[in-house]
Amino acid sequence: MVTRASIHSLDAFTVIGDRSRASARSRQLPQQRSIDDELAPLGIPALALGMMLIGAGFAFLPLTIGWAGDYGPLMVCTAYILYLSLAIALSMWGVRRIRDHRRFVSRASDAAQSALNRR
């Protein structure tokens, strides 16, 4: 059984019960929320840049065969995989910024609407 005292000592992702990852995010510190709010406008450019980098990676895929012959297949494959993983990580970061910002705006507008309805 998880008691209220033991909940605070556990990590937010290991709590058993009805607490989810979304509720853990909603309990962020005010400083963390302000940092996320400041980074939210970078979500769309990050997603666009990440998608362009992924497209460029696939466009230059035929050239990697020649590079593998010149520089060695291990180095070229390692660099290519590293490049694509960073491009995918940038895209996913942009998607998360966009999604979290939209959820925050939606919750704020719902809270404002419910406050107006109470009056």
Side-chain angles (χ1 to χ4, degrees):
M1 183 168 137
V2 177
T3 64
R4 182 172 277 288
S6 65
I7 286 175
H8 296 294
S9 65
L10 294 175
D11 185 37
F13 299 111
T14 59
V15 174
I16 301 171
D18 60 348
R19 298 193 186 261
S20 66
R21 192 178 276 195
S23 66
R25 285 187 181 158
S26 66
R27 291 183 281 134
Q28 291 177 341
L29 297 174
Q31 298 88 4
Q32 183 65 31
R33 285 189 190 147
S34 66
I35 290 171
D36 289 343
D37 292 341
E38 290 175 6
L39 293 176
L42 296 176
I44 293 173
L47 178 60
L49 180 62
M51 297 306 285
M52 287 190 300
L53 290 173
I54 291 170
F58 286 123
F60 284 99
L61 184 60
L63 294 176
T64 58
I65 296 168
W67 294 338
D70 293 339
Y71 303 108
L74 181 63
M75 186 176 80
V76 172
C77 288
T78 303
Y80 187 75
I81 290 170
L82 180 63
Y83 172 83
L84 279 182
S85 64
L86 291 174
I88 290 170
L90 179 64
S91 299
M92 292 306 298
W93 184 84
V95 167
R96 282 190 216 112
R97 289 302 115 223
I98 294 168
R99 184 191 63 208
D100 291 345
H101 181 67
R102 287 187 178 167
R103 284 184 182 170
F104 177 74
V105 169
S106 175
R107 273 191 236 124
S109 65
D110 289 345
Q113 185 71 346
S114 64
L116 288 175
N117 290 338
R118 288 181 198 159
R119 292 182 187 180

